[in-house]
Amino acid sequence: SQQGEEDPQALSIQEGENATMNCSYKTSINNLQWYRQNSGRGLVHLILIRSNEREKHSGRLRVTLDTSKKSSSLLITASRAADTASYFCATADIDTGGFKTIFGAGTRLFVKA
Amino acid sequence: NAGVTQTPKFQVLKTGQSMTLQCAQDMNHNSMYWYRQDPGMGLRLIYYSASEGTTDKGEVPNGYNVSRLNKREFSLRLESAAPSQTSVYFCASSARTVLDQPQHFGDGTRLSIL
């Protein structure tokens, strides 16, 4: 079963706009990670936020985490055509030592030039 | 720096044939993973190896076997391929546990079973 669930499933925006993707999860976590996947490629790690953190920034990326609501959001500011990709959240099942990573189904982002 | 290398990139099999997918990493990572990705779904963990010499089942291990050959290499074997195993397979590695380290992914093996 999937623990991370992204919302929306797909998002189409104009270049320069901001893109917000949300992720919900079900169990206790140590951290939550966001990955990007370009078409035909493997996943690339973007950012990790720990359970005791509420917000984290990396360049044009801003991630928030609300452990009380078991949710996270990824904001990409001033989007570019090169940001077109699928974005996945992932959580590690701490009950199994953290090795069993659960990925959501992803949000497909399309940025129009 | 190659990172995680998977071979082959594409493969077509007939039902019942066997196949080994190869994965190697050059980052001296302890942990390695095999996932499958089906259309419209996230990655599902098949098997993982927390460290050299150990392997454990993930979410969807049925129909697969793995071997952690050494610290660098982690192979996935389909003993008798079935159409339901048509998927894109990704290998990943991480420095320690995923509790505090990101995973690095290969570019995948696209496997079709007829």
Side-chain angles (χ1 to χ4, degrees):
Chain A
S1 61
Q2 296 290 320
Q3 168 161 256
E5 298 290 340
E6 284 93 343
D7 168 55
Q9 292 185 339
L11 181 61
S12 181
I13 60 174
Q14 292 291 140
E15 204 166 32
E17 294 181 338
N18 295 341
T20 300
M21 289 157 270
N22 303 297
C23 168
S24 61
Y25 59 91
K26 297 177 182 176
T27 63
S28 297
I29 62 171
N30 175 274
N31 64 64
L32 185 142
Q33 303 181 43
W34 284 91
Y35 289 82
R36 184 188 74 232
Q37 183 180 34
N38 290 93
S39 180
R41 304 297 300 273
L43 277 69
V44 174
H45 183 261
L46 294 176
I47 195 165
L48 180 153
I49 185 166
R50 302 188 190 283
S51 58
N52 61 353
E53 298 175 311
R54 291 298 167 256
E55 188 170 312
K56 200 161 184 180
H57 296 255
S58 178
R60 295 185 294 113
L61 305 181
R62 172 177 168 256
V63 169
T64 61
L65 179 65
D66 187 335
T67 53
S68 67
K69 295 181 179 179
K70 290 185 166 57
S71 67
S72 174
S73 67
L74 171 66
L75 169 67
I76 303 174
T77 60
S79 62
R80 306 166 182 169
D83 294 328
T84 294
S86 292
Y87 293 82
F88 297 88
C89 67
T91 56
D93 181 357
I94 61 174
D95 290 337
T96 57
F99 289 101
K100 292 187 177 181
T101 305
I102 308 297
F103 287 84
T107 292
R108 296 191 310 278
L109 174 65
F110 181 66
V111 181
K112 294 176 282 188
Chain B
N1 186 359
V4 178
T5 303
Q6 293 184 236
T7 56
K9 295 189 187 305
F10 302 93
Q11 186 70 46
V12 178
L13 293 178
K14 294 181 180 178
T15 298
Q17 287 185 318
S18 61
M19 170 83 189
T20 299
L21 309 185
Q22 306 287 352
C23 174
Q25 52 92 7
D26 62 2
M27 296 171 283
N28 201 36
H29 283 170
N30 289 320
S31 304
M32 298 186 73
Y33 314 84
W34 275 105
Y35 295 90
R36 60 179 288 175
Q37 184 178 34
D38 299 299
M41 299 183 69
L43 277 68
R44 290 184 292 169
L45 183 64
I46 304 171
Y47 271 93
Y48 66 93
S49 172
S51 60
E52 185 179 357
T54 70
T55 60
D56 284 285
K57 295 178 180 179
E59 185 183 357
V60 288
N62 291 344
Y64 305 95
N65 287 300
V66 291
S67 295
R68 183 74 182 267
L69 304 171
N70 48 55
K71 193 170 186 179
R72 289 187 64 248
E73 298 172 287
F74 188 37
S75 63
L76 178 72
R77 183 162 179 84
L78 288 69
E79 290 291 351
S80 179
S84 61
Q85 294 178 304
T86 293
S87 189
V88 183
Y89 291 85
F90 288 97
C91 176
S93 69
S94 66
R96 293 183 295 179
T97 74
V98 293
L99 283 176
D100 56 3
Q101 296 292 331
Q103 295 184 51
H104 299 259
F105 285 81
D107 280 339
T109 294
R110 283 143 187 84
L111 183 61
S112 292
I113 299 161
L114 307 177

